Amino acid sequence: PPQCLKECENAAFVPVCDVCENDECGECQTCRAGADAAYYSIRDAACVSDRQYGLLASVAFTTCFALSGLAAGHLADRLDAKRLHAGAALTWALAGFLPVIYPSFSMLVLARFITGVAEGFNAPCAYPVTAYHYAVHERASANGCYSMGTYAGSALSTLSLLFAMGVGWRQTTTMACVVGIFAAALLWLLVDRPPR
């Protein structure tokens, strides 16, 4: 919560549902508990420890992302890459709603698994569409723009922390999911389907 920034500046994060072992994190935890920390932080709402957060940020997502990329490439070679991409973007956006509905560690794991699988379709589906729309001598530039957009989007995602401080994590997550659904619809409606 914004009102606890001073108390929490150098304190280790301990969810408000857990016991804090020292005065430094205790002061932060007490402030967060009194300031409705579950409104601002999904980690407090779902009672996610640092260890659990590490699992969510790494294994739960990365394993699914890496493995689904292999399957996505195989499918994009045989099916309509545009539709696969739009479907994956929609799935990715809808997975974000799961912890909004029921914030818990198990729901976050499920959402991260689904998001990892869906995001794994991004590059394998984008490359054939790019190849269809751009001549050979323009593809490197087009793929560079695609790559830049991927990383710019990741950088912009840090703005969600600022939004969460203002409107809470549930509304921030819901807004991001709505934007994802809109992007999936635009992809479905406006991008030409490459021939197979």
Side-chain angles (χ1 to χ4, degrees):
Q3 58 269 44
C4 297
L5 293 178
K6 183 181 176 197
E7 290 84 352
C8 297
E9 187 174 359
N10 293 314
F13 179 84
V14 177
V16 292
C17 62
D18 277 349
V19 176
C20 182
E21 300 295 328
N22 62 51
D23 291 340
E24 190 176 272
C25 71
E27 193 176 317
C28 173
Q29 189 182 49
T30 301
C31 180
R32 288 191 352 260
D36 193 18
Y39 174 80
Y40 297 100
S41 169
I42 191 171
R43 289 186 65 189
D44 278 316
C47 193
V48 175
S49 68
D50 283 344
R51 187 177 138 274
Q52 290 172 319
Y53 182 77
L55 290 171
L56 289 171
S58 62
V59 177
F61 173 81
T62 309
T63 304
C64 293
F65 177 81
L67 294 175
S68 75
L70 295 172
H74 180 77
L75 291 171
D77 284 340
R78 288 155 184 75
L79 303 172
D80 181 354
K82 175 196 120 170
R83 288 185 179 180
L84 280 173
H85 202 182
L90 179 62
T91 302
W92 166 359
L94 292 175
F97 278 122
L98 293 176
V100 171
I101 297 164
Y102 183 74
S104 68
F105 177 69
S106 57
M107 190 60 74
L108 284 168
V109 169
L110 178 63
R112 292 298 285 170
F113 279 147
I114 294 169
T115 302
V117 170
E119 283 190 33
F121 277 75
N122 194 31
C125 292
Y127 291 136
V129 173
T130 302
Y132 173 70
H133 286 283
Y134 293 91
V136 173
H137 68 279
E138 297 174 318
R139 283 189 197 148
S141 295
N143 284 329
C145 287
Y146 161 77
S147 183
M148 185 272 311
T150 298
Y151 291 103
S154 294
L156 287 172
S157 71
T158 59
L159 292 175
S160 66
L161 297 173
L162 296 175
F163 284 118
M165 288 294 195
V167 298
W169 73 268
R170 287 177 194 252
Q171 286 186 3
T172 300
T173 302
T174 300
M175 287 186 294
C177 294
V178 168
V179 169
I181 292 167
F182 182 69
L186 287 178
L187 179 60
W188 181 272
L189 296 171
L190 301 180
V191 175
D192 289 336
R193 172 182 160 177
R196 286 182 276 165

